[in-house]
Structure formats: C-alpha cells, structure tokens
Amino acid sequence: IDEADSEIQKRVSDMAKIERRATLLANEKEASLKALEQIETQVNAYMDAEDYMHAELKLRSKEIEALRNEAFSTKDKIRQLEHDKDSALEALHASQQALVAAEEAHAMSQEACNTAAYDSLCEKQMQMLELEAQIVCLKGELEQVRERMVRVQAAAEREKEAREREIEQG
C-alpha cells in the first residue's frame, strides 16, 4: 500500500509538473503569437510606407519632368527673343544708316530742302526711336525670361537632389 501510495504521489507530482510545463508552454505560445502580431503590424506599416514613398517618388518624377519641359520651352522662348532682338538691331542699324544718309543729303541740300525730304527725315527719326524702344522692351523681356529659366533650373536641381536623397534613404 505504501508503495502504491508512493507511486500515486509520484504520478500526482509528475502530473503537476506536466501541468506547470503545459501552462508555461501556453504562456510562451501566447507571447509568441502577440510578438508575431506586432511583427505583422510593423511589416504592414513598412509596406504602407514603401507604397507611399513609391507614389511620392512617382509624383516627384512627374514634377521634375514638367520642370524640364518648362525649361526647354523657356529656352525656346529665349532663342526666339534673341532672334527678335537681332532682327530689331539689324533694322535699327539699317535705319541709322538711312538716317545718316538722309542727314548727309539734308546737309548738302539744306537750302533747297523741300517739305517732302524734311518729312522723310522726320519719319526715319521716328522709326529709329520706335525701333530703339522695341529693343529696350525686348532686352527687358529677355532678361526676365533668363531669370525665370535660372529659377526653373534651380528648382529642377533641388527636386533631383531631393529625389536622390529619398532613393538613398529608401
């Protein structure tokens, strides 16, 4: 009987140990499941952040492309304005030559000058003044376009650098 009693106590003790072990394993399992849930939450957050970064990068790429296109358009406008300025300068030079010729003719025949020659001289002077005014306007526009192009190029460069930093950090 003592032997059977001892065997029963031993088995009860073993059962208690098994129950404690089962409780510890259940607690470990619960902690592991919670840790797994946290990891899944972090993975989802990282995936959301990555999706956001990709969308942001795509948006920045479009903005940079728009700035590039604007820069090309601005360069074309500058070329056109420079061409217009050159044409105006050529016209001014021709008018100045005509004015000089008219002044020389006027000086040679000053006493015999008639009203038509005087009107022509006045008209040439007016044309010259108008052309000079056009040149001043074109120079102002050209300077504004150049300044805008410098700003656009600087903005494009900043965007490019920002995108490169995002890519490096990503």
Side-chain angles (χ1 to χ4, degrees), residues 38-121:
Q38 288 177 347
I39 290 170
E40 285 176 353
T41 301
Q42 287 176 342
V43 166
N44 288 338
Y46 288 136
M47 289 174 69
D48 290 345
E50 183 180 6
D51 290 345
Y52 173 78
M53 292 301 284
H54 282 300
E56 187 70 20
L57 185 59
K58 200 178 233 183
L59 177 65
R60 294 288 180 226
S61 295
K62 287 181 181 178
E63 289 173 355
I64 287 171
E65 187 62 31
L67 287 172
R68 279 188 191 140
N69 291 339
E70 189 174 339
F72 289 135
S73 173
T74 302
K75 282 182 182 179
D76 290 341
K77 288 177 185 175
I78 287 173
R79 281 190 209 106
Q80 182 61 45
L81 286 172
E82 286 176 345
H83 175 53
D84 292 348
K85 179 189 81 168
D86 291 342
S87 297
L89 286 172
E90 288 173 9
L92 175 63
H93 182 65
S95 291
Q96 286 173 336
Q97 287 177 339
L99 179 61
V100 167
E103 285 174 346
E104 289 173 357
H106 178 70
M108 290 170 37
S109 62
Q110 189 170 6
E111 290 179 20
C113 180
N114 61 24
T115 305
Y118 180 75
D119 290 344
S120 175
L121 177 62

Side-chain angles (χ1 to χ4, degrees), residues 126-154:
M126 288 302 292
Q127 287 175 353
M128 186 179 80
L129 291 174
E130 288 174 3
L131 287 172
E132 286 176 344
Q134 288 176 358
I135 288 170
V136 168
C137 289
L138 287 172
K139 283 181 181 178
E141 289 178 17
L142 180 61
E143 189 58 38
Q144 288 174 352
V145 169
R146 282 188 178 145
E147 289 171 0
R148 188 162 183 248
M149 185 174 167
V150 166
R151 290 193 304 270
V152 167
Q153 287 174 337

